[in-house]
Structures are given as C-alpha cells and as structure tokens.
Amino acid sequence: SGDGNTLVRSCGDSVEVRRAPGWQRVAVLPNTVYSTLYSPEPRDVAVSHDGTGFAVRSVISLAGGGGSDSQAWVNVYRLGTGGWAREASLAPGEWSDGQSTPEDPNEGFRMSIAMSRDGRFVAVGAAREVVPGHGVVYPPTTWSPGLYGVGAVYVFERKPSGWQRRQFIKPNEGGTDWQDVVLIGQSVSFARNGKDLAVGGGGDPGVATVIGGPAPALARQFLGAVWLY
C-alpha cells in the first residue's frame, strides 16, 4: 500500500494480507490463479494508498488446459467492519470478444492492474485486445478478430450502487500479424489524484522521439511508447 503498512500477496489459490509493523497475516482470501505459458503476469495486484482495498488478477482453467480453456477477471476486495471480503469481480464481458463470459487470459485482459490512491478507480490493461477504435471509446465498436495485438485499457469506477465500467481506452489501431503488435495496456498507472492515467504499449513500432509525435508507423518492433490521459 502507499502508506507502507499493508502487503498483499497472491498465492495461487488465495490472497494473503499482512500488516505492519510485525507483518503478521491478517487475512487469507480465495482467489484462484493458475499459470500458463500464455499468462506471463498471472499475479498482478494493485492496492489503495491506505491498504483498505485491493484488486488482484484471477485465472481459472475450465478443462485442465491453457489458452481458450481458461477464463480470467479481476477480483476487488475491501476491508469493512466485518473484516476482508470480496466486493466485486470485474470482467470485460461482451466488450472483449463478443461473448458475455470472461475470456482466455491469452487475449490479455488483466495483464496489468492499477488502483487509484483512494480505491475508487481500477484500470485493467488488455494488451492483446482486438476491438478496433481510437481514443476513449464508449460504447466500444464491434469486435473484430482481424486486429492482432492492438491492446486496450478498461477503467472501472466504484459507485454507491457498485462497480461500473466507465471507459474503454484505445490509443491507436494495431496490425494484422505479429510484426504489428502494439500491446497497449501492457502497463497502467494512476496519478495520485486518480484523474490522470499513464498507459504503456511495449510493442509500439512508432519512430516518434518527442511528446505528441506522429502516429505510429511500422519502423522497428517493440520500440514502445506511453500515452497519458
């Protein structure tokens, strides 16, 4: 946590919460994660500044295998008067792959997670997202399987009625094969006020070397770039 008093660790089938100064374990919460070669960052965790809320990636195997036999989402936990409890499970639903169920972790949803200082916003990077579009897309356009490795970021907001999907961010289009991947959402980070968001795209091939440079043009793969919102 930002105040340095809470530590959250994903442990495969659970999440541990420890508190300073002795770092004793104060909670063990269910959160299944199974790792595959297609899920390179399976244990992402993001914690609020005061340590009373956190978001963690969860992946399950549906048929004992990887790839399309898996489903994934982000679980949000909150400390209340009765102790720690899961507050919500966030998933892209029909925005990601035209289906109402969480999708294969190979498609990238939950590759990176950020939580705002006050725990009000959660940003989830989906570096292999294939939905087309530019900028802040709401609602998103029709799913298109032809755009490989475009990437996107989902922004969720905690409201009195519960967690809601607020924005869907698409900095730019991707290509049609592995040489054109952009991987937007490979990393995400909120500023202290929760109103500014940095989004990394490690596969961006653009040649720009300045802030606000020209749109990416295939030059050399994996030069990378950062977008600010």
PDB file of all heavy atoms in Angstrom, residues 195-227:
ATOM      1  N   LYS A 195      -7.075  11.001 -11.453  1.00  0.00           N
ATOM      2  CA  LYS A 195      -7.666  11.620 -12.637  1.00  0.00           C
ATOM      3  C   LYS A 195      -6.718  11.610 -13.836  1.00  0.00           C
ATOM      4  O   LYS A 195      -7.084  12.079 -14.915  1.00  0.00           O
ATOM      5  CB  LYS A 195      -8.083  13.055 -12.312  1.00  0.00           C
ATOM      6  CG  LYS A 195      -9.180  13.130 -11.260  1.00  0.00           C
ATOM      7  CD  LYS A 195      -9.593  14.568 -10.983  1.00  0.00           C
ATOM      8  CE  LYS A 195     -10.692  14.616  -9.937  1.00  0.00           C
ATOM      9  NZ  LYS A 195     -11.116  16.009  -9.643  1.00  0.00           N
ATOM     10  N   ASP A 196      -5.518  11.140 -13.637  1.00  0.00           N
ATOM     11  CA  ASP A 196      -4.552  11.014 -14.728  1.00  0.00           C
ATOM     12  C   ASP A 196      -4.120   9.555 -14.800  1.00  0.00           C
ATOM     13  O   ASP A 196      -3.898   8.914 -13.772  1.00  0.00           O
ATOM     14  CB  ASP A 196      -3.335  11.908 -14.494  1.00  0.00           C
ATOM     15  CG  ASP A 196      -3.723  13.377 -14.425  1.00  0.00           C
ATOM     16  OD1 ASP A 196      -4.205  13.910 -15.432  1.00  0.00           O
ATOM     17  OD2 ASP A 196      -3.549  13.977 -13.347  1.00  0.00           O
ATOM     18  N   LEU A 197      -3.982   9.065 -16.030  1.00  0.00           N
ATOM     19  CA  LEU A 197      -3.647   7.665 -16.235  1.00  0.00           C
ATOM     20  C   LEU A 197      -2.545   7.540 -17.282  1.00  0.00           C
ATOM     21  O   LEU A 197      -2.647   8.119 -18.367  1.00  0.00           O
ATOM     22  CB  LEU A 197      -4.884   6.883 -16.697  1.00  0.00           C
ATOM     23  CG  LEU A 197      -4.697   5.400 -17.024  1.00  0.00           C
ATOM     24  CD1 LEU A 197      -4.386   4.616 -15.758  1.00  0.00           C
ATOM     25  CD2 LEU A 197      -5.955   4.848 -17.700  1.00  0.00           C
ATOM     26  N   ALA A 198      -1.490   6.809 -16.955  1.00  0.00           N
ATOM     27  CA  ALA A 198      -0.428   6.514 -17.911  1.00  0.00           C
ATOM     28  C   ALA A 198      -0.601   5.091 -18.411  1.00  0.00           C
ATOM     29  O   ALA A 198      -0.811   4.169 -17.618  1.00  0.00           O
ATOM     30  CB  ALA A 198       0.946   6.683 -17.260  1.00  0.00           C
ATOM     31  N   VAL A 199      -0.506   4.912 -19.734  1.00  0.00           N
ATOM     32  CA  VAL A 199      -0.706   3.611 -20.363  1.00  0.00           C
ATOM     33  C   VAL A 199       0.513   3.289 -21.221  1.00  0.00           C
ATOM     34  O   VAL A 199       0.880   4.056 -22.114  1.00  0.00           O
ATOM     35  CB  VAL A 199      -1.973   3.608 -21.239  1.00  0.00           C
ATOM     36  CG1 VAL A 199      -2.139   2.257 -21.926  1.00  0.00           C
ATOM     37  CG2 VAL A 199      -3.202   3.942 -20.405  1.00  0.00           C
ATOM     38  N   GLY A 200       1.153   2.154 -20.957  1.00  0.00           N
ATOM     39  CA  GLY A 200       2.315   1.744 -21.720  1.00  0.00           C
ATOM     40  C   GLY A 200       1.956   0.760 -22.820  1.00  0.00           C
ATOM     41  O   GLY A 200       1.088  -0.092 -22.645  1.00  0.00           O
ATOM     42  N   GLY A 201       2.610   0.920 -23.971  1.00  0.00           N
ATOM     43  CA  GLY A 201       2.462  -0.004 -25.084  1.00  0.00           C
ATOM     44  C   GLY A 201       3.831  -0.483 -25.522  1.00  0.00           C
ATOM     45  O   GLY A 201       4.503   0.173 -26.322  1.00  0.00           O
ATOM     46  N   GLY A 202       4.277  -1.619 -24.989  1.00  0.00           N
ATOM     47  CA  GLY A 202       5.638  -2.068 -25.219  1.00  0.00           C
ATOM     48  C   GLY A 202       5.940  -2.490 -26.643  1.00  0.00           C
ATOM     49  O   GLY A 202       7.098  -2.548 -27.043  1.00  0.00           O
ATOM     50  N   GLY A 203       4.902  -2.777 -27.440  1.00  0.00           N
ATOM     51  CA  GLY A 203       5.145  -3.214 -28.809  1.00  0.00           C
ATOM     52  C   GLY A 203       5.051  -2.118 -29.838  1.00  0.00           C
ATOM     53  O   GLY A 203       5.219  -2.364 -31.031  1.00  0.00           O
ATOM     54  N   ASP A 204       4.782  -0.882 -29.403  1.00  0.00           N
ATOM     55  CA  ASP A 204       4.583   0.209 -30.349  1.00  0.00           C
ATOM     56  C   ASP A 204       5.786   0.365 -31.285  1.00  0.00           C
ATOM     57  O   ASP A 204       6.924   0.486 -30.826  1.00  0.00           O
ATOM     58  CB  ASP A 204       4.360   1.518 -29.596  1.00  0.00           C
ATOM     59  CG  ASP A 204       4.116   2.683 -30.530  1.00  0.00           C
ATOM     60  OD1 ASP A 204       2.979   2.832 -30.986  1.00  0.00           O
ATOM     61  OD2 ASP A 204       5.078   3.416 -30.808  1.00  0.00           O
ATOM     62  N   PRO A 205       5.544   0.386 -32.603  1.00  0.00           N
ATOM     63  CA  PRO A 205       6.652   0.462 -33.560  1.00  0.00           C
ATOM     64  C   PRO A 205       6.946   1.865 -34.068  1.00  0.00           C
ATOM     65  O   PRO A 205       7.717   2.049 -35.003  1.00  0.00           O
ATOM     66  CB  PRO A 205       6.148  -0.417 -34.705  1.00  0.00           C
ATOM     67  CG  PRO A 205       4.671  -0.142 -34.714  1.00  0.00           C
ATOM     68  CD  PRO A 205       4.275   0.065 -33.270  1.00  0.00           C
ATOM     69  N   GLY A 206       6.293   2.882 -33.467  1.00  0.00           N
ATOM     70  CA  GLY A 206       6.433   4.241 -33.978  1.00  0.00           C
ATOM     71  C   GLY A 206       7.833   4.802 -33.820  1.00  0.00           C
ATOM     72  O   GLY A 206       8.568   4.438 -32.909  1.00  0.00           O
ATOM     73  N   VAL A 207       8.180   5.738 -34.691  1.00  0.00           N
ATOM     74  CA  VAL A 207       9.521   6.321 -34.693  1.00  0.00           C
ATOM     75  C   VAL A 207       9.590   7.640 -33.929  1.00  0.00           C
ATOM     76  O   VAL A 207      10.656   8.250 -33.843  1.00  0.00           O
ATOM     77  CB  VAL A 207      10.002   6.554 -36.141  1.00  0.00           C
ATOM     78  CG1 VAL A 207      10.132   5.233 -36.873  1.00  0.00           C
ATOM     79  CG2 VAL A 207       9.045   7.484 -36.893  1.00  0.00           C
ATOM     80  N   ALA A 208       8.472   8.110 -33.377  1.00  0.00           N
ATOM     81  CA  ALA A 208       8.457   9.395 -32.676  1.00  0.00           C
ATOM     82  C   ALA A 208       9.399   9.371 -31.480  1.00  0.00           C
ATOM     83  O   ALA A 208       9.482   8.392 -30.750  1.00  0.00           O
ATOM     84  CB  ALA A 208       7.040   9.726 -32.219  1.00  0.00           C
ATOM     85  N   THR A 209      10.124  10.487 -31.278  1.00  0.00           N
ATOM     86  CA  THR A 209      11.038  10.611 -30.148  1.00  0.00           C
ATOM     87  C   THR A 209      10.706  11.825 -29.290  1.00  0.00           C
ATOM     88  O   THR A 209      11.514  12.254 -28.475  1.00  0.00           O
ATOM     89  CB  THR A 209      12.494  10.736 -30.638  1.00  0.00           C
ATOM     90  OG1 THR A 209      12.598  11.873 -31.512  1.00  0.00           O
ATOM     91  CG2 THR A 209      12.931   9.483 -31.383  1.00  0.00           C
ATOM     92  N   VAL A 210       9.502  12.378 -29.479  1.00  0.00           N
ATOM     93  CA  VAL A 210       9.092  13.561 -28.727  1.00  0.00           C
ATOM     94  C   VAL A 210       7.704  13.324 -28.165  1.00  0.00           C
ATOM     95  O   VAL A 210       7.013  12.381 -28.530  1.00  0.00           O
ATOM     96  CB  VAL A 210       9.059  14.822 -29.626  1.00  0.00           C
ATOM     97  CG1 VAL A 210      10.450  15.145 -30.123  1.00  0.00           C
ATOM     98  CG2 VAL A 210       8.108  14.619 -30.798  1.00  0.00           C
ATOM     99  N   ILE A 211       7.284  14.211 -27.260  1.00  0.00           N
ATOM    100  CA  ILE A 211       5.925  14.148 -26.726  1.00  0.00           C
ATOM    101  C   ILE A 211       4.949  14.598 -27.803  1.00  0.00           C
ATOM    102  O   ILE A 211       5.132  15.642 -28.434  1.00  0.00           O
ATOM    103  CB  ILE A 211       5.792  15.033 -25.483  1.00  0.00           C
ATOM    104  CG1 ILE A 211       6.695  14.494 -24.362  1.00  0.00           C
ATOM    105  CG2 ILE A 211       4.350  15.096 -25.009  1.00  0.00           C
ATOM    106  CD1 ILE A 211       6.735  15.361 -23.139  1.00  0.00           C
ATOM    107  N   GLY A 212       3.900  13.810 -28.020  1.00  0.00           N
ATOM    108  CA  GLY A 212       2.902  14.164 -29.022  1.00  0.00           C
ATOM    109  C   GLY A 212       3.411  14.036 -30.436  1.00  0.00           C
ATOM    110  O   GLY A 212       3.010  14.798 -31.318  1.00  0.00           O
ATOM    111  N   GLY A 213       4.284  13.076 -30.677  1.00  0.00           N
ATOM    112  CA  GLY A 213       4.844  12.883 -32.011  1.00  0.00           C
ATOM    113  C   GLY A 213       3.847  12.280 -32.975  1.00  0.00           C
ATOM    114  O   GLY A 213       2.673  12.099 -32.653  1.00  0.00           O
ATOM    115  N   PRO A 214       4.283  11.971 -34.199  1.00  0.00           N
ATOM    116  CA  PRO A 214       3.380  11.432 -35.209  1.00  0.00           C
ATOM    117  C   PRO A 214       2.846  10.066 -34.815  1.00  0.00           C
ATOM    118  O   PRO A 214       3.424   9.371 -33.981  1.00  0.00           O
ATOM    119  CB  PRO A 214       4.283  11.325 -36.456  1.00  0.00           C
ATOM    120  CG  PRO A 214       5.672  11.225 -35.900  1.00  0.00           C
ATOM    121  CD  PRO A 214       5.669  12.070 -34.669  1.00  0.00           C
ATOM    122  N   ALA A 215       1.732   9.688 -35.428  1.00  0.00           N
ATOM    123  CA  ALA A 215       1.130   8.390 -35.161  1.00  0.00           C
ATOM    124  C   ALA A 215       2.105   7.286 -35.527  1.00  0.00           C
ATOM    125  O   ALA A 215       2.942   7.448 -36.412  1.00  0.00           O
ATOM    126  CB  ALA A 215      -0.157   8.240 -35.964  1.00  0.00           C
ATOM    127  N   PRO A 216       2.019   6.138 -34.829  1.00  0.00           N
ATOM    128  CA  PRO A 216       2.963   5.056 -35.098  1.00  0.00           C
ATOM    129  C   PRO A 216       2.961   4.615 -36.553  1.00  0.00           C
ATOM    130  O   PRO A 216       1.927   4.508 -37.179  1.00  0.00           O
ATOM    131  CB  PRO A 216       2.450   3.930 -34.187  1.00  0.00           C
ATOM    132  CG  PRO A 216       1.713   4.633 -33.108  1.00  0.00           C
ATOM    133  CD  PRO A 216       1.085   5.825 -33.763  1.00  0.00           C
ATOM    134  N   ALA A 217       4.132   4.410 -37.085  1.00  0.00           N
ATOM    135  CA  ALA A 217       4.308   3.826 -38.410  1.00  0.00           C
ATOM    136  C   ALA A 217       5.347   2.737 -38.259  1.00  0.00           C
ATOM    137  O   ALA A 217       6.343   2.915 -37.560  1.00  0.00           O
ATOM    138  CB  ALA A 217       4.788   4.874 -39.408  1.00  0.00           C
ATOM    139  N   LEU A 218       5.099   1.584 -38.871  1.00  0.00           N
ATOM    140  CA  LEU A 218       5.963   0.435 -38.662  1.00  0.00           C
ATOM    141  C   LEU A 218       7.410   0.782 -39.001  1.00  0.00           C
ATOM    142  O   LEU A 218       7.753   1.050 -40.138  1.00  0.00           O
ATOM    143  CB  LEU A 218       5.485  -0.734 -39.519  1.00  0.00           C
ATOM    144  CG  LEU A 218       6.226  -2.059 -39.284  1.00  0.00           C
ATOM    145  CD1 LEU A 218       6.096  -2.481 -37.823  1.00  0.00           C
ATOM    146  CD2 LEU A 218       5.678  -3.146 -40.188  1.00  0.00           C
ATOM    147  N   ALA A 219       8.255   0.804 -37.990  1.00  0.00           N
ATOM    148  CA  ALA A 219       9.666   1.116 -38.175  1.00  0.00           C
ATOM    149  C   ALA A 219      10.505  -0.039 -37.630  1.00  0.00           C
ATOM    150  O   ALA A 219      11.243  -0.677 -38.350  1.00  0.00           O
ATOM    151  CB  ALA A 219      10.025   2.413 -37.465  1.00  0.00           C
ATOM    152  N   ARG A 220      10.388  -0.281 -36.359  1.00  0.00           N
ATOM    153  CA  ARG A 220      11.069  -1.405 -35.739  1.00  0.00           C
ATOM    154  C   ARG A 220      10.236  -1.852 -34.556  1.00  0.00           C
ATOM    155  O   ARG A 220       9.860  -1.038 -33.704  1.00  0.00           O
ATOM    156  CB  ARG A 220      12.469  -0.985 -35.282  1.00  0.00           C
ATOM    157  CG  ARG A 220      13.305  -2.174 -34.816  1.00  0.00           C
ATOM    158  CD  ARG A 220      14.765  -1.797 -34.625  1.00  0.00           C
ATOM    159  NE  ARG A 220      14.964  -0.924 -33.486  1.00  0.00           N
ATOM    160  CZ  ARG A 220      15.359   0.341 -33.590  1.00  0.00           C
ATOM    161  NH1 ARG A 220      15.547   0.874 -34.787  1.00  0.00           N
ATOM    162  NH2 ARG A 220      15.550   1.081 -32.527  1.00  0.00           N
ATOM    163  N   GLN A 221       9.928  -3.122 -34.496  1.00  0.00           N
ATOM    164  CA  GLN A 221       9.023  -3.636 -33.489  1.00  0.00           C
ATOM    165  C   GLN A 221       9.553  -3.443 -32.080  1.00  0.00           C
ATOM    166  O   GLN A 221      10.759  -3.456 -31.845  1.00  0.00           O
ATOM    167  CB  GLN A 221       8.782  -5.127 -33.744  1.00  0.00           C
ATOM    168  CG  GLN A 221       7.626  -5.707 -32.947  1.00  0.00           C
ATOM    169  CD  GLN A 221       7.468  -7.190 -33.206  1.00  0.00           C
ATOM    170  OE1 GLN A 221       8.343  -7.822 -33.760  1.00  0.00           O
ATOM    171  NE2 GLN A 221       6.352  -7.736 -32.808  1.00  0.00           N
ATOM    172  N   PHE A 222       8.626  -3.207 -31.151  1.00  0.00           N
ATOM    173  CA  PHE A 222       8.910  -3.107 -29.719  1.00  0.00           C
ATOM    174  C   PHE A 222       9.781  -1.906 -29.345  1.00  0.00           C
ATOM    175  O   PHE A 222      10.595  -1.994 -28.441  1.00  0.00           O
ATOM    176  CB  PHE A 222       9.555  -4.405 -29.204  1.00  0.00           C
ATOM    177  CG  PHE A 222       8.681  -5.615 -29.393  1.00  0.00           C
ATOM    178  CD1 PHE A 222       9.151  -6.726 -30.063  1.00  0.00           C
ATOM    179  CD2 PHE A 222       7.389  -5.617 -28.910  1.00  0.00           C
ATOM    180  CE1 PHE A 222       8.348  -7.848 -30.241  1.00  0.00           C
ATOM    181  CE2 PHE A 222       6.570  -6.721 -29.089  1.00  0.00           C
ATOM    182  CZ  PHE A 222       7.051  -7.844 -29.745  1.00  0.00           C
ATOM    183  N   LEU A 223       9.602  -0.783 -30.034  1.00  0.00           N
ATOM    184  CA  LEU A 223      10.232   0.454 -29.574  1.00  0.00           C
ATOM    185  C   LEU A 223       9.527   0.935 -28.315  1.00  0.00           C
ATOM    186  O   LEU A 223      10.149   1.443 -27.401  1.00  0.00           O
ATOM    187  CB  LEU A 223      10.150   1.525 -30.670  1.00  0.00           C
ATOM    188  CG  LEU A 223      11.041   1.301 -31.905  1.00  0.00           C
ATOM    189  CD1 LEU A 223      10.799   2.395 -32.920  1.00  0.00           C
ATOM    190  CD2 LEU A 223      12.507   1.261 -31.508  1.00  0.00           C
ATOM    191  N   GLY A 224       8.194   0.812 -28.301  1.00  0.00           N
ATOM    192  CA  GLY A 224       7.424   1.170 -27.120  1.00  0.00           C
ATOM    193  C   GLY A 224       7.038   2.636 -27.070  1.00  0.00           C
ATOM    194  O   GLY A 224       7.663   3.493 -27.702  1.00  0.00           O
ATOM    195  N   ALA A 225       5.990   2.929 -26.290  1.00  0.00           N
ATOM    196  CA  ALA A 225       5.514   4.302 -26.110  1.00  0.00           C
ATOM    197  C   ALA A 225       4.623   4.359 -24.885  1.00  0.00           C
ATOM    198  O   ALA A 225       4.210   3.319 -24.360  1.00  0.00           O
ATOM    199  CB  ALA A 225       4.747   4.773 -27.348  1.00  0.00           C
ATOM    200  N   VAL A 226       4.342   5.579 -24.415  1.00  0.00           N
ATOM    201  CA  VAL A 226       3.454   5.815 -23.285  1.00  0.00           C
ATOM    202  C   VAL A 226       2.420   6.847 -23.676  1.00  0.00           C
ATOM    203  O   VAL A 226       2.754   7.860 -24.296  1.00  0.00           O
ATOM    204  CB  VAL A 226       4.222   6.303 -22.045  1.00  0.00           C
ATOM    205  CG1 VAL A 226       3.254   6.652 -20.911  1.00  0.00           C
ATOM    206  CG2 VAL A 226       5.203   5.250 -21.570  1.00  0.00           C
ATOM    207  N   TRP A 227       1.146   6.594 -23.338  1.00  0.00           N
ATOM    208  CA  TRP A 227       0.046   7.530 -23.583  1.00  0.00           C
ATOM    209  C   TRP A 227      -0.452   8.043 -22.237  1.00  0.00           C
ATOM    210  O   TRP A 227      -0.528   7.283 -21.261  1.00  0.00           O
ATOM    211  CB  TRP A 227      -1.110   6.835 -24.303  1.00  0.00           C
ATOM    212  CG  TRP A 227      -0.849   6.541 -25.750  1.00  0.00           C
ATOM    213  CD1 TRP A 227      -1.290   7.237 -26.837  1.00  0.00           C
ATOM    214  CD2 TRP A 227      -0.094   5.449 -26.285  1.00  0.00           C
ATOM    215  NE1 TRP A 227      -0.859   6.646 -28.005  1.00  0.00           N
ATOM    216  CE2 TRP A 227      -0.120   5.548 -27.695  1.00  0.00           C
ATOM    217  CE3 TRP A 227       0.611   4.375 -25.725  1.00  0.00           C
ATOM    218  CZ2 TRP A 227       0.516   4.635 -28.537  1.00  0.00           C
ATOM    219  CZ3 TRP A 227       1.249   3.477 -26.548  1.00  0.00           C
ATOM    220  CH2 TRP A 227       1.199   3.608 -27.943  1.00  0.00           C
TER     221      TRP A 227
END
